[in-house]
Amino acid sequence: MRLLWELLVLHSVLLCLADDSSLHGPVFLQEPNNLIFPLDSEEKKVKLSCEVKGNPRPTIGWKLNGSSIDVGMDYRYSLLEGSLLINNPNKSQDAGTYQCVATNPFGTIVSREAKLQFAYLENFKTRSRSTVSVRQGQGMVLLCGPPPHSGELTYAWIFNEYPSFVQQDSRRFVSQETGNLYIAKVESSDAGNYTCVVTNTGCPSSSPPWPLSRTGVMGEYEPKIEVQFPETVPSAKGTTVKLECFALGNPVPTISWRRADGKQIPRKARRHRSSGLLEIPNFQQEDAGLYECVAENVRGRNVARGQLTFYAQPSWTQRISDVRVAIEERVSWECRASGRPKPSYRWLKDGEPLLPQGRVQLEQGSLSIANVSLSDAGMYQCVAENRHGVIFASAELSVIAIGPDFSKTLVKKLTLVKVGGEVIIECKPKASPRPTYSWKKGKDILRENERITVLDDGSLRIVNVTKSDAGSYTCVATNHFGTASSTGSLLVKDPTRVMVSPFSMDVTVGESIVLPCQVSHDHSLDIVFTWTFNGHLIDFEKDGDHFERVGGQDSAGDLMIRSIQLKHAGKYVCMVQTSVDKLSAAADLIVRGPPGPPEAVTIDEVTDTTAQLSWRPGADNHSPITMYVVQARTPFSVGWQAVSTGALLAPPVPEIIDGRTFTATVVGLNPWVEYEFRVVAANLIGIGEPSSPSEKRRTEEALPEVTPANVSGGGGSKSELVITWETVPEELQNGGGFGYVVAFRPLGTVSWMQTVVASPDAARYVFRNESLPPFSPYEVKVGVYNNKGEGSFSPVTVVYSAEEAPLCPQVRCWRHDEKEENAKRIRTVGNQTSTRVSNLRGNALYHLAVRAYNTAGTGPSSAAVNVTTKKPPPSQPPGNIVWNSSDSKIILNWDQVKALDNESEVRGYKVLYRWNRQGSTSVIETNKTSVELSLPFEEDYIIEIKPFSDGGDGSSSEQIRIPKISNAYARGSGSSTSSACTLSALSTIMISLTARSSL
């Protein structure tokens, strides 16, 4: 018995040393593979590879057919870093199954099995072969009959002389199974000598020539399949399966492949040129089945069938891994492998078969060892095998047997706990087998009671802690191999209590609040305050714009939230932590703000001037929605504008829609205009974000109502009546097919002459008649029409027909650095005595001259005058335009425009304004950057602002639409960007002309 304990102690010391992770049993890095060695190889040496790691370094041996090889007894064997070298290998002595065996003090493992085979190919017998006589059109087979050999062969046939090889096609086929040559239909060109060439890993071997002669002609006959695959073809997973099928026949049969179960041939399959060979690469379970080869010609058809069955060598799905276990405990391993057929399992320990007995239980791939002893330590291997292969998996079992050791797991030196709390002092020495535990407080044995318990793992648990529990505690651990102890101290502290908790609040967007969090605690302990918002820790650096920790003392951790937004609503938790306890207090913050955007704005119905809308309310953000406003946008509007809602016969003013109403009828729309709508909600706190736009819908057509403005005319050539007008904007045309009806009559007559101008963009009509008297007055009016019918006419105005051969001035203008013959020419009409010359270069010297012209030609020129154009006006439009309405006034403000160095200084500003549907524009000039307009509120207005200087008018701002305003105060702003054209004095010269009669 004493010897057994001495052995255990010695072994425990070794295992302590083995605890170093660098020490371990053998592990294969490379295992031997199957090898085919050609007997005629010049190498005369075979190498079976094996590489192993382990610490200590393993020794390596080899087995042949299960028996150990004594390398020292045969000079032909030698080891090279674990690999086995065989010099002058002999087929009879060295062919067989090899395994590499690796051993170190932790155990032994064996490698997978590797087969060494020898390839050879003898020569054909040299006797000559008789001539084969066949008829033209007949099928023929030449047998190869390979000589004795070992290893896989490849076959080819030479026709007459090398290197003229028989080329395979639909008529000729060389089987790689038998080596035979098949000719489906012999032709006269096939006569000659045929030689079978056989090759394996060594040199090729050639048969004696086989003469072939043609003796006659044979008629047509149906296909006869001479080459076909077996009825059952076992096929390994992942391999390339080759199926041969070839038929003789006249005409030459065609070969096709199919699956008898109706499934498609795999797309990865390859058919060779003759179609006599079907290859299926990477064969898988789904590729198995019944395959058919069909040979047919005009005389008939024939079919060959074969079943492809699937098999797979074992492959690991679950390997075993190294295990370290304490003595007297239980260890279990399980390995699993896939394969077809299903693999069976066996186990090895240190390279020898392991059988079930007593403590050792084996079941399929499971191994269980109960009450582990030191003798169970070693290398274990799970072996999975079926008839197609064998695989090995290795793992090391380390059995630990040592006395208790606290060197790496001391009892915690100092443990803190609060009064009334619970504490666990861990005791986790390293020991095997598991020790028994006892505790001391000071020098006294600690007795268990309802508050004090020793847990199964040796830890000490004390509940409802009191001040008297403070002191030193020692854990004592004992097993067969010794006793050890470790001591730590327990300090008992007063608990932390929340004195002022955060409380739930109801606030409005933009306000700032403080959530209090104040505690009492043991001041000998450090305290940490943290806050979470909706479960996420607040980062005071990242979110410092809104969150700040305030308090100024170690017992306060108040949270300030500045400029509260809707996103700040939720649950706030103040967490207080010391080294002995942790507690928290929570509060809910409700944030009231303007409502969220309404949802699902839908156009339910449209007429020519109305649209029926519906929507769903958005979030009210804790303040009931009091009203909705509908806005619209068209391709002709500047941004979104409020629209009128309500009854059709009510005055067209924006109606306030009650917050509990989710439908509205928009009135006062223009017919035949594409509209989209959005809805804005408001509550007592403010106006919310607008909804997403609705779909775009076009209102229905209606008769046109707006007539052309500024109908006038005159001038033109002899016998012409020229009538002009301002076109009606597209948004006021009320329908498609828009055009104009021009009516005119001599002044004082009754009957009107009418003509239709079909273009909506037309702004001029010329009536020509040779009998038209010159400069005669005509009453003129212009009406409108569209697809719905005719609208009304404009007021009647008087227009004069053209004068007869009028004498008109012509102005010539050229720059000082240009030639006079290249002068720009401007012709005027009638008896004008002034004109505008535009598009000139700023700050440049120009020469101008005037001469008269009529239909007979031009007269003499006046003397030239010199004019220098001014610097161009400012190119920058007024920016940051803001408008406010108060009482009956509209006040506009804008930023000052600063001229560039090459531009003339700003002298003032022009404010242009007009009623939205009115053609005429009013202008106010000012030298300030603000202006006050007295305008009625019941109309929409279009306003533009532009600077002017000595160089003319500068760039204009974008049009600003000021909508109809129903309340006493409103405001808005406009963009500073402008795309308006600039009319400037730099490019314009007003010329006064003095008319004189022609000679």
Side-chain angles (χ1 to χ4, degrees), residues 971-986:
R971 62 178 297 154
S973 61
S975 170
S976 62
T977 307
S978 174
S979 58
C981 298
T982 299
L983 180 64
S984 64
L986 79 94

Side-chain angles (χ1 to χ4, degrees), residues 123-136:
N123 291 323
F124 281 91
K125 295 181 178 179
T126 56
R127 69 173 184 272
S128 61
R129 301 192 177 187
S130 302
T131 300
V132 177
S133 298
V134 294
R135 290 177 290 173
Q136 183 173 332

